[in-house]
Amino acid sequence: MDTHPCKRPRILLHDPTLRDGHHAVGHQLDVGQLRAYATAANAAKVPVVEVGHGNGLGASSLQIGRARLDDATMLTTVREALTSSRMGVFMAPGWGTSHDLVAAVHHGADVVRIAAHCTEADVTERHLGVVRDLGAEAQGVLLMSHMTGPGHLAEQCALMAAFGAQAVGIMDSAGHFLPADVTERVRAIADAVDVPVIFHGHNNLGLAVANSLAAVDAGASVIDATARGFGAGAGNTQVEVLVAVLERRGIETGIGLREVLAAADIATDRLMKAPPSIDSIAVASGLAGVFSGFKRPVQQIARAEGVDPVDLLLALGERQVVAGQEDLIGDVARELKAAIR
Amino acid sequence: MDTHPCKRPRILLHDPTLRDGHHAVGHQLDVGQLRAYATAANAAKVPVVEVGHGNGLGASSLQIGRARLDDATMLTTVREALTSSRMGVFMAPGWGTSHDLVAAVHHGADVVRIAAHCTEADVTERHLGVVRDLGAEAQGVLLMSHMTGPGHLAEQCALMAAFGAQAVGIMDSAGHFLPADVTERVRAIADAVDVPVIFHGHNNLGLAVANSLAAVDAGASVIDATARGFGAGAGNTQVEVLVAVLERRGIETGIGLREVLAAADIATDRLMKAPPSIDSIAVASGLAGVFSGFKRPVQQIARAEGVDPVDLLLALGERQVVAGQEDLIGDVARELKAAIR
């Protein structure tokens, strides 16, 4: 393994275990669980520990799912546990407000991600400005980034950088990308902006680690990954695996392997019923290009309406549904049911 | 997706769910389980369904682990369930004999894999000859193929082809490869032989699907994959995921997606306690380059001796242990324990 420092580009791993993982447990993590994992991630020198409702600041609701804890409690709990890691938060369009951003920074958020659908970067301008004014690090990410091409994603990322984002990038919200898709998109973005490029993968097609490697090789320097892959649907890029693979590649992350393995063991024991796996519904949602967060409602509604969840996901994919349109799941399920009769 | 027939190279998926998966359940699958999965795989038009003790024909023993069923019962059960799929068996060095090969073909094995450690292809000559004489398809595979380089693997594969193997290739027994490792090895082998090239991956570093894609792109045409990844350690390449990914790539497998998803659901419900996941021990064994089949004994012995299983695996990796040397695990564990004192 090459250990020559000059040849070891530094990759920053951003860990949304306590935010994206919330999708896997109906947003029900408690104070003890947040404290246990944040303490372990801090001990492993994970650079950024992101926390919150799965859909981000202000998203706790009947429609999306109520979190067990309010944002303030989540943030203060994790803040207390972090001595070296920075704390991150995520805000997605529609749910969070400037008020939530002010409160999050007040509660100690160091890194604030403002998300937008892949074609709607213009909606991030005001909130990115608010974050900059608050003195926190502002980042901009594009959701469902498989729904448009490299050139358009690069334009949208350049727009967010112009709005003041200090890092910009894409989320493979549906776990739909193959490595070549990531390479061309990340390369186009890296060519278009002067700030670090972010990649956030999901494992629906078993490619989260490979897609993250492709992103690094194409110029991304901020990679999202979670303990044991704890996250929506088939889960995210598995952080302890990515640390091992980057170490094999001679790429420094600053994270100790044993410590990150220990943190992953704590996450497995304390946070999840079972580690994420790629079930048939996850494969179908990855293929269909449907947001991984739809998994649980799709399973529930398919069962209730007596339709095949794979058929339901493929139909939702044809509708090009995005997060926030969960109310469409029932309608599409009933249409399928009617069509079967 | 490109559907032009001329542009759709055909990849043959070889499914060792009922053989490699045995490692995950102490070789305890029963007749009902074999029948249920073989029937589902046959319905999904999986080309080859491989069955047997995890370590292959003749391997059932106190040291390696006794299978619930004898080879004859496993083979006749699966044979009865297959109407279109061919039946495969695996024989690894040291355990099986020519007698086992004769019996396996008598019980209906169509495809017989003769395995050897990556540097010992010469031991396959007699058994490959026996298989050819019996009129079954003879294949040669190299185990622990990360332990030597592309040139040497190509030589060894060419030797097996000269011995009469009708397909040859490599197994990433430890789940150690990165995609670039697979690309250079498979390309070297494909350049050296005129028969189809086989790749068999494990998911310890989360790269089984990506490594299988790399193998296909480098010229492999026989790819091993199992239902929900059921297999040793972190599991194998997940067959239903690979079918979906190859379909995205416009590469025909002849397998129906819905049918293979249904087979994977049956495997999940009937064969396994839980789907394979990449736990800390799996990451360590992948990094250390230790055979995935060591996972369970390493966990048991580490617990018994009170040593860290990650330390134990890394120490076994330094010893370059291979399958069949399970008796070394205890010795190395006791050495570690003594060193700690």
Side-chain angles (χ1 to χ4, degrees):
Chain A
M1 186 171 71
D2 174 20
T3 54
H4 191 292
C6 313
K7 290 202 183 157
R8 296 181 71 141
R10 193 172 173 80
I11 296 298
L12 186 141
L13 297 188
H14 179 110
D15 176 356
T17 298
L18 300 177
R19 196 275 303 165
D20 211 323
H22 250 147
H23 286 294
V25 291
H27 316 285
Q28 295 305 302
L29 294 177
D30 63 30
V31 165
Q33 291 172 307
L34 297 182
R35 183 178 294 127
Y37 182 70
T39 301
N42 183 75
K45 301 194 168 17
V46 170
V48 180
V49 174
E50 186 176 289
V51 62
H53 181 284
N55 298 61
L57 296 174
S60 183
S61 64
L62 277 178
Q63 187 204 21
I64 306 302
R66 285 213 183 284
R68 168 173 305 208
L69 305 174
D70 59 32
D71 290 343
T73 306
M74 288 193 254
L75 290 165
T76 50
T77 301
V78 168
R79 176 76 276 164
E80 285 166 14
L82 302 181
T83 59
S84 62
S85 303
R86 298 161 75 207
M87 182 165 74
V89 292
F90 174 92
M91 193 175 94
W95 296 305
T97 66
S98 298
H99 170 81
D100 296 309
L101 296 174
V102 172
V105 174
H106 170 76
H107 288 116
D110 305 293
V111 178
V112 180
R113 288 233 175 129
I114 304 299
H117 182 65
C118 58
T119 57
E120 294 167 18
D122 54 343
V123 305
T124 64
E125 179 168 18
R126 203 171 109 267
H127 291 139
L128 286 169
V130 170
V131 175
R132 291 300 300 270
D133 293 343
L134 290 164
E137 178 174 336
Q139 301 187 343
V141 289
L142 300 173
L143 305 172
M144 299 293 283
S145 54
H146 66 285
M147 295 178 82
T148 188
H152 194 195
L153 291 171
E155 271 172 37
Q156 297 282 299
C157 284
L159 201 57
M160 295 191 292
F163 295 155
Q166 294 151 287
V168 296
I170 56 174
M171 294 197 167
D172 182 14
S173 310
H176 182 75
F177 285 142
L178 305 185
D181 303 323
V182 175
T183 299
E184 61 175 1
R185 284 165 173 78
V186 169
R187 189 170 289 150
I189 295 165
D191 290 345
V193 302
D194 296 325
V195 295
V197 176
I198 300 162
F199 178 74
H200 174 105
H202 278 277
N203 203 39
N204 297 64
L205 297 180
L207 292 166
V209 172
N211 286 344
S212 299
L213 275 184
V216 167
D217 291 336
S221 59
V222 179
I223 306 295
D224 287 9
T226 68
R228 206 70 90 224
F230 194 46
N236 294 77
T237 306
Q238 203 169 323
V239 66
E240 68 278 16
V241 172
L242 187 60
V243 166
V245 166
L246 290 174
E247 196 173 293
R248 283 274 313 278
R249 283 281 308 275
I251 298 170
E252 185 53 70
T253 63
I255 298 176
L257 179 65
R258 273 155 207 285
E259 293 73 16
V260 76
L261 290 174
D265 290 340
I266 286 168
T268 307
D269 296 341
R270 296 290 307 271
L271 306 187
M272 54 193 87
K273 296 182 197 76
S277 67
I278 310 172
D279 61 18
S280 294
I281 289 170
V283 175
S285 71
L287 263 183
V290 173
F291 171 50
S292 305
F294 276 46
K295 177 181 177 177
R296 303 173 90 257
V298 162
Q299 284 175 299
Q300 290 157 0
I301 292 168
R303 204 176 300 112
E305 298 290 342
V307 298
D308 178 348
V310 171
D311 293 331
L312 179 51
L313 280 160
L314 296 174
L316 288 164
E318 285 161 20
R319 292 288 200 89
Q320 303 220 317
V321 294
V322 297
Q325 297 183 318
E326 283 79 357
D327 54 336
L328 277 176
I329 300 171
D331 303 344
V332 175
R334 283 180 287 277
E335 284 171 25
L336 275 178
K337 198 172 168 184
I340 294 162
R341 286 219 191 79
Chain B
M1 187 174 69
D2 172 22
T3 53
H4 191 289
C6 314
K7 291 202 184 159
R8 296 181 72 139
R10 195 174 173 79
I11 295 298
L12 185 140
L13 298 187
H14 180 109
D15 177 355
T17 299
L18 299 177
R19 196 274 304 166
D20 210 321
H22 251 147
H23 285 295
V25 291
H27 317 284
Q28 295 305 302
L29 295 177
D30 64 28
V31 165
Q33 291 172 307
L34 298 182
R35 183 178 296 128
Y37 182 69
T39 301
N42 182 75
K45 300 196 169 21
V46 170
V48 181
V49 175
E50 187 177 287
V51 63
H53 181 286
N55 298 61
L57 296 173
S60 182
S61 64
L62 277 177
Q63 187 204 20
I64 306 302
R66 286 212 182 282
R68 168 172 303 203
L69 306 174
D70 58 34
D71 290 343
T73 307
M74 289 193 253
L75 290 165
T76 50
T77 301
V78 169
R79 176 76 275 166
E80 286 166 14
L82 302 182
T83 59
S84 62
S85 303
R86 297 161 77 208
M87 182 165 73
V89 292
F90 174 92
M91 193 175 94
W95 296 306
T97 64
S98 297
H99 170 79
D100 296 309
L101 296 175
V102 172
V105 174
H106 169 74
H107 290 303
D110 304 294
V111 177
V112 180
R113 289 241 175 120
I114 305 298
H117 181 64
C118 59
T119 57
E120 293 167 17
D122 55 341
V123 306
T124 64
E125 180 168 18
R126 201 169 113 268
H127 291 140
L128 285 169
V130 170
V131 176
R132 292 300 300 268
D133 294 343
L134 289 165
E137 179 175 337
Q139 301 187 343
V141 290
L142 299 173
L143 306 171
M144 299 294 281
S145 55
H146 67 283
M147 294 178 83
T148 188
H152 193 195
L153 291 171
E155 268 172 39
Q156 297 282 298
C157 284
L159 201 56
M160 295 191 293
F163 295 156
Q166 293 152 288
V168 296
I170 57 175
M171 294 197 167
D172 182 15
S173 311
H176 182 75
F177 285 141
L178 305 185
D181 303 324
V182 175
T183 298
E184 60 175 3
R185 282 163 173 78
V186 168
R187 190 171 287 148
I189 295 164
D191 289 345
V193 301
D194 297 325
V195 295
V197 176
I198 301 162
F199 177 74
H200 173 103
H202 279 277
N203 203 39
N204 297 63
L205 298 181
L207 292 166
V209 172
N211 286 344
S212 300
L213 275 184
V216 166
D217 291 336
S221 59
V222 179
I223 306 295
D224 288 10
T226 69
R228 206 70 88 223
F230 193 47
N236 295 77
T237 306
Q238 204 169 322
V239 66
E240 67 280 16
V241 173
L242 187 60
V243 166
V245 167
L246 290 174
E247 196 173 294
R248 284 273 314 276
R249 284 281 308 274
I251 297 170
E252 185 53 70
T253 63
I255 298 175
L257 179 64
R258 273 155 207 285
E259 292 72 16
V260 76
L261 290 174
D265 290 340
I266 285 167
T268 307
D269 296 341
R270 297 291 305 271
L271 306 186
M272 55 193 86
K273 297 180 196 80
S277 67
I278 309 173
D279 61 19
S280 293
I281 289 171
V283 175
S285 72
L287 264 182
V290 173
F291 170 51
S292 305
F294 276 48
K295 178 180 176 177
R296 304 171 91 256
V298 161
Q299 285 175 298
Q300 291 157 0
I301 291 167
R303 203 177 300 112
E305 299 290 342
V307 299
D308 178 350
V310 171
D311 293 332
L312 180 51
L313 280 161
L314 296 174
L316 289 163
E318 285 160 19
R319 294 286 200 91
Q320 303 222 315
V321 295
V322 298
Q325 298 182 319
E326 284 78 356
D327 55 338
L328 277 176
I329 300 171
D331 303 344
V332 174
R334 283 179 287 276
E335 284 171 26
L336 276 178
K337 199 172 168 183
I340 294 162
R341 285 218 191 80

